[in-house]
Amino acid sequence: HNIQLSVNISAKNIVEVGFVKNTLDKLIEYGVSPQRIVFEMTESTMMDNPEKALEVLNNLSALGVKLSIDDFGTGYSSLSHLKRFPVDALKIDRSFIRDIETKAEDAAIVKAIIVLGHSLKLKVIAEGVENKNQFDILKQLDCDEAQGYFIAKPLSATDMTQMLTLQRTQSLSFS
C-alpha cells in the first residue's frame, strides 16, 4: 500500500525557527519517504503571514512532501495567493458537502472548487462525506477523493492496521 500520513500545521509552525530542518531530521530519523507525508494547513494559516508561509511551503515542497489546503472555501482566500503557493491539493470543507444534496448553492460551490482545483492541476478532496448520495454526487462532479464516515469512522492504530492488512489480503486475492 502507498499509505500517506497527513499532518496539520498551524500558523505557529510556519513561523517556528527550524521547522523545515526539524521536519527533515524527523523524516531521516524514522526513515519515512517525504512523498508519504502531506502537510495540511488552512487558508487562514497561510494568510496570517503569506511571505513567511510561501518561504516555508517552498522549502517543504523542495523536500518532496505534499501540501494541501484544508477547509478550502471557508477562509479568506486570495486566488492570487493560491497560484503562488506550491500546494498539491484542496480539501473542500465539510460545510459544503453536508448540504450538497439539498442546496443548489452548495453543489455549485463544490463544483466550482473542483473545476478550479483541476484547472490548477491540484487534487481535490471532499471532507465530511457521510452517505452514498453525497459520494455519488462528488463522483459525478469528478472529485478525486473523499473522506468521512461513509468511507470509514476514526480508527485506533490497531484497528487501522487490521483494516489495511485485510485490504491488502483482499486485493492480493483478486490479482
Side-chain angles (χ1 to χ4, degrees):
H1 286 295
N2 187 13
I3 298 171
Q4 290 191 318
L5 174 66
S6 294
V7 180
N8 291 322
I9 59 175
S10 68
K12 179 182 170 192
N13 296 129
I14 294 290
V15 296
E16 182 181 316
V17 175
F19 177 69
V20 175
K21 183 188 180 317
N22 291 339
T23 298
L24 178 59
D25 291 346
K26 291 298 178 191
L27 292 171
I28 292 168
E29 179 182 346
Y30 292 106
V32 175
S33 168
Q35 290 77 19
R36 292 187 171 227
I37 302 297
V38 179
F39 279 117
E40 297 182 0
M41 75 239 64
T42 62
E43 296 169 86
S44 57
T45 295
M46 293 167 47
M47 296 301 125
D48 281 351
N49 188 340
E51 294 310 314
K52 181 64 176 174
L54 182 61
E55 173 191 338
V56 169
L57 297 178
N58 278 330
N59 288 333
L60 288 171
S61 182
L63 293 179
V65 301
K66 302 288 185 223
L67 303 167
S68 176
I69 301 177
D70 200 11
D71 302 333
F72 189 79
T74 61
Y76 48 94
S77 66
S78 163
L79 295 180
S80 66
H81 281 101
L82 178 60
K83 70 178 186 175
R84 292 177 54 212
F85 288 101
V87 296
D88 301 287
L90 301 177
K91 291 180 76 176
I92 304 170
D93 187 71
R94 69 184 65 242
S95 64
F96 300 114
I97 306 305
R98 180 178 42 243
D99 295 323
I100 195 171
E101 302 165 89
T102 58
K103 292 187 178 171
E105 300 86 1
D106 286 349
I109 289 170
V110 169
K111 181 178 181 178
I113 292 171
I114 292 169
V115 169
L116 172 67
H118 288 168
S119 296
L120 294 172
K121 302 195 181 350
L122 303 175
K123 181 190 305 182
V124 182
I125 304 156
E127 296 181 302
V129 178
E130 296 183 2
N131 63 55
K132 184 168 181 358
N133 287 341
Q134 292 170 338
F135 184 85
D136 289 344
I137 291 168
L138 290 161
K139 186 176 179 179
Q140 184 179 16
L141 293 175
D142 203 25
C143 192
D144 299 305
E145 292 181 11
Q147 295 179 329
Y149 283 4
F150 179 70
I151 310 302
K153 296 198 185 227
L155 300 171
S156 67
T158 302
D159 290 341
M160 176 63 84
T161 301
Q162 240 178 356
M163 182 185 82
L164 292 172
T165 301
L166 180 61
Q167 282 182 349
R168 183 177 57 208
T169 304
Q170 288 174 340
S171 65
L172 289 176
S173 65
F174 292 113
S175 55

